Amino acid sequence: VSINENGETILHSNGQEYIIATDGISQINIAKDIVFYRGADKKLYSCKHDGSDKKTIIDDKVGSVVLSGDEIYYVNYTKANNLYRYTLKDNKTEPVIEKNVNKFIVVADSILYTDYDNRLMLQSISSTSPSWTDTNVVKFYFNGDVYVQNNDKVIKFNINNHFPQEIASGVNELLGVDENSVFYTIHNKLYSQDLSNGEKKELPYKFDYYKGVYSANGKITALGGVKE
């Protein structure tokens, strides 16, 4: 997916380019033959890969959106920022976490999420309460382990909130993590740090928070930035 000079969102599929939206969109999730995205009006839409058959999936205003199997999880801004699930097979919508959810990801049968009090929690989809809570979490990312920004530190721990390890300090903003590196800023300089040996390298500052990607050597690493 890319944005052309006219501000149109382009889907690159099987060597072809298709315009899937002409206005500003975000929270793009791509299934086998369907694209789901949040429109400029913050409603959730779907269309085919060629941009045809556009439909409104969720008429409420939504925040973060994650496609997991045949289910779509989304923060419902209209309903007190509760986390909802939409099932593609039967078009059924139901609340999953009735709390003030900010950002979240789906990890197996659980939801890892933050609220607006900077608390990070892991909660089973079938449960009504979290299994653990971590406080003072500015941002978080997950690559098999959990990486959080706590004040000016980047801390790593496993999904059960065990074995914490300080990865970096003096950090202004944690930007993301992939399989090999963690990305963050210190005094308006952008760094990547190798997760295996801790080697830190300054990078040219080309991070686009709206698109949620960082481009290095022509390769795109998704970092999940969202502009509200």
Side-chain angles (χ1 to χ4, degrees), residues 80-147:
N81 297 325
N82 290 174
L83 183 69
Y84 274 69
R85 173 172 56 194
Y86 175 85
T87 305
L88 299 176
K89 288 183 179 180
D90 57 13
N91 300 325
K92 180 182 178 182
T93 301
E94 61 182 342
V96 177
I97 297 177
E98 297 184 80
K99 294 180 181 178
N100 196 19
V101 177
N102 185 1
K103 305 299 180 187
F104 76 96
I105 61 170
V106 181
V107 182
D109 59 353
S110 297
I111 305 293
L112 184 64
Y113 69 97
T114 52
D115 63 12
Y116 283 87
D117 292 320
N118 290 341
R119 293 180 297 187
L120 177 67
M121 288 160 273
L122 181 72
Q123 184 169 323
S124 170
I125 293 172
S126 61
S127 176
T128 58
S129 61
S131 59
W132 57 260
T133 301
D134 198 7
T135 60
N136 202 27
V137 173
V138 180
K139 299 179 75 173
F140 80 95
Y141 292 91
F142 180 77
N143 71 346
D145 288 310
V146 182
Y147 291 78

